[in-house]
Each structure stands twice: as structure tokens, then as C-alpha cells.
Amino acid sequence: MKIDLTDTTASKINKALVRGRRAVGTPAVGMVLTLVIVTDEENAYDALKAANDASREHPSRTLVVIKRVSRSARNRTTSRLDAEVRVGVEAGTGETVVLRLYGEVVDHAQSVVLPLLLPDAPVVVWWPVNAPLDPANDPLGALAQRRVTDTYAAEEPVRELNALAQAYTPGDTDLSWTRITPWRSMLAAALDQVTCEVDAVEVEGEEFNPSCELLAMWLADRLDVPVKRTLSAGPGLTAVRMGTSCGAIALDRADGALATLSIEGQPDRAVALKRRETAELIAEELRRLDPDDTYASALRYGVDRLTAAAAESPVEESADDDAVPAEAPEQDAAAPAKKATKKAAAKKATK
């Protein structure tokens, strides 16, 4: 069921939600959280589709905030709120309100959203595009226990990562970090199988992909070994290669779906490592609403620190001259000289 409201108020929207639930025969509210999506008109459809798919696992009230740009000075001083209320099959397993803000109310979106939040339920704010550099101090972000950004959609992902690191507040996370969860799990499992010393790591992936940078920072932070960032044609992350005192360990994924795990002295094995849809990423983030300390530690390690360490590293430069400035995606990254044993590294990597 869909109810359109023009030039409306939060009170009228709440009444429309109750009326809609009664009309479809579900007067009880069985939702577990409020998901606020802040986006533009261009990306609203894809974001809402992902949220509806994720609601099968996490029934929620989804509030889509679309800030419309006023073309004239007169329109910018005239406030208006239009809403589209969806319940039943139109809204997955929860209910959806699409809010279109015009004029001065654009700068006060939190006053529109606040009366529509589910009482006594967690709030998650997600910016699919155009995320603020300081999510916790954003007026909408201040309402949430969990704030989700996506640096993959940014024009300058490395700059965004640096800004997010400086402004990090417990509860912040990024879908570029969520994308590498299977990689981190697989690499930690591989390290658990051997007791050798890790010497160096190479992370290979496409250009301007913040997931590659985050994985490199996570490995450098956890293993304290040199990490080299190299480019490939993609898609996404394509390989992680680790040099150890017992031979090489490699996780190669050339096609974005099936990877090969190679450990010295063991037969190669095929591993399902497909690139996941946005709905799966959002569903994963909604499973936990507590601060992600591992993400915070990796993010704060910093791309700039990796590059600075590379410049001081005694490791010989390759013939391809991979070292580049901090904002370029191809770089050599070295962590402090201290090296952990493989067994200790595996223990640290899984924390």
C-alpha cells in the first residue's frame, strides 16, 4: 500500500503509517530499528531496494531523506515536506517513508526525522553517497547509534579515509570495510594453519578502491610487516600475497567470484569469495550495533603513515618504482620493523 502526502507534517505522516498498517491487516509494530537513508534523487531507488532486501533479516522502519535543490531564491525560502508512505509488500517486511525536503527545511532534516523514529529502538543512519566527513557531528548522524558511510562512492577515497580517521567516533563504519570481511576471515584462517614468520605482504586491487587501502592498513596494523599496494584491472580486490619463512601464502581472485588459496606445502584450494551486493553489506552492518574497534584501529593506522613508513623502509624498491605520493593508490607501505610469529599474527588478526 502506498500513501502520497503533499506539503505535509510529521504528525500527518505518523497517522498515515497507522492507517496503512490497519489497512493491510498488521496493526502491531514488529520492527527492531530505524534505518535513516540520506541520499539524493538519483541514488534513492538503489538505496531503498537494498534496504528493503536487508529488511527481510532486520525488519525496520526505513526513512529515506531526499534533500531537493531549490532553483530560485524564492523557493529556497519556502519550506515544504512531501512524503510517500509505504506499507505491506511495498516496504519489504517493515515500513518505508520517503521524505522529500524543499527550501529551508533542508537544513533542519533532523527536526523532520526525530518524530518518526521508532520509540526505544536503535537508529542507524546510512549515507550511500555524499557522506559528511564527520558523521557523528552531522545533525542526522547525532541521532544514531551507528553511522554508515561508503567511501567507494567518493571522488577521492583516500582523502575521505583520512578525514574519517581524524573524525572517528565509536559507532562509525564504512561499507568499504564491510566488503573485505570475507577476505579478513580467509586470511586469518590461513595464518592459523601455519607457524611461520611473516616477512612481507602485497595487496593487489583496482585503482581508487578504498577496500584495498583498508585491507592494507589492517594487515600492516595487525602484523607489523611491510605492506605493498599494487594495481590490477580488478574487479575490486584481486590478490593478497604473504611472504613467510616457510614459503608463500596467496589468496588470488581474478574474476570477482572464485578465489584460490595457496599455502606452501599444501594443495591449492578453491574458495567462494564473490563480490557482495549492497543489501548483503547493509544486512551485515545491522547485525551489530556496537563500536567496531578493529575498524577503528585499521582506519587510524592511516594511508599517510603507510607511505611515510615506506619512504623510511630499508626494503629495496622494485624496478617498477611502485612508491608514489600518499593519495595515489599504488604505493609501498611498511610497518615498524618488529615482526610477529605466524601463530601470534593469526591470533592478533582474528581479534
Side-chain angles (χ1 to χ4, degrees), residues 79-290:
S79 297
R80 194 180 94 204
L81 170 64
D82 294 344
E84 185 179 306
V85 178
R86 304 179 185 180
V87 293
V89 295
E90 297 280 351
T93 59
E95 54 192 24
T96 300
V97 181
V98 180
L99 304 166
R100 291 183 172 86
L101 283 58
Y102 300 82
E104 292 182 341
V105 74
V106 167
D107 298 324
H108 305 280
Q110 72 278 9
S111 64
V112 177
V113 169
L114 188 59
L116 301 176
L117 301 178
L118 289 172
D120 302 321
V123 178
V124 178
V125 178
W126 171 33
W127 292 269
V129 294
N130 302 323
L133 297 180
D134 189 355
N137 284 327
D138 180 84
L140 286 172
L143 302 175
Q145 287 76 39
R146 192 78 163 170
R147 295 162 294 275
V148 184
T149 56
D150 192 357
T151 49
Y152 187 78
E155 290 186 8
E156 299 179 70
V158 171
R159 185 181 70 86
E160 294 265 348
L161 287 176
N162 287 331
L164 290 175
Q166 294 174 11
Y168 176 81
T169 302
D172 292 353
T173 190
D174 194 274
L175 292 187
S176 295
W177 173 255
T178 316
R179 290 183 179 96
I180 62 174
T181 299
W183 285 83
R184 293 189 294 118
S185 300
M186 193 60 59
L187 291 170
L191 294 178
D192 278 335
Q193 300 179 41
V194 295
T195 56
C196 305
E197 184 177 310
V198 184
D199 300 318
V201 179
E202 178 185 358
V203 176
E204 179 185 276
E206 66 184 1
E207 192 174 7
F208 305 121
N209 190 319
S211 293
C212 302
E213 313 298 341
L214 282 168
L215 185 60
M217 289 189 287
W218 174 70
L219 289 167
D221 179 48
R222 291 294 174 177
L223 300 179
D224 284 337
V225 295
V227 177
K228 180 182 179 181
R229 170 76 164 96
T230 56
L231 298 181
S232 71
L237 272 163
T238 52
V240 174
R241 303 180 183 92
M242 294 184 285
T244 77
S245 57
C246 300
I249 298 176
L251 184 60
D252 284 278
R253 186 191 67 177
D255 60 358
L258 189 65
T260 301
L261 176 62
S262 304
I263 301 177
E264 189 75 20
Q266 299 183 20
D268 292 351
R269 66 199 75 174
V271 179
L273 207 61
K274 71 180 183 68
R275 304 189 75 196
R276 298 183 292 168
E277 300 293 334
T278 304
E280 296 179 67
L281 304 176
I282 286 296
E284 178 183 326
E285 285 302 329
L286 296 181
R287 289 182 201 129
R288 56 172 298 175
L289 300 178
D290 57 315

Side-chain angles (χ1 to χ4, degrees), residues 276-343:
R276 298 183 292 168
E277 300 293 334
T278 304
E280 296 179 67
L281 304 176
I282 286 296
E284 178 183 326
E285 285 302 329
L286 296 181
R287 289 182 201 129
R288 56 172 298 175
L289 300 178
D290 57 315
D292 190 340
D293 295 333
T294 306
Y295 166 70
S297 180
L299 184 66
R300 285 170 171 162
Y301 191 91
V303 180
D304 290 341
R305 178 180 170 189
L306 288 172
T307 307
E312 299 173 1
S313 174
V315 179
E316 294 183 2
E317 296 184 0
S318 65
D320 295 332
D321 191 21
D322 287 326
V324 294
E327 294 198 3
E330 180 176 337
Q331 52 196 303
D332 284 336
K338 183 183 70 173
K339 300 177 182 177
T341 64
K342 206 64 168 182
K343 187 173 182 179

Side-chain angles (χ1 to χ4, degrees), residues 35-46:
L35 175 62
V36 181
I37 304 174
V38 187
T39 185
D40 53 22
E41 202 72 63
E42 179 183 357
N43 296 280
Y45 175 82
D46 291 336

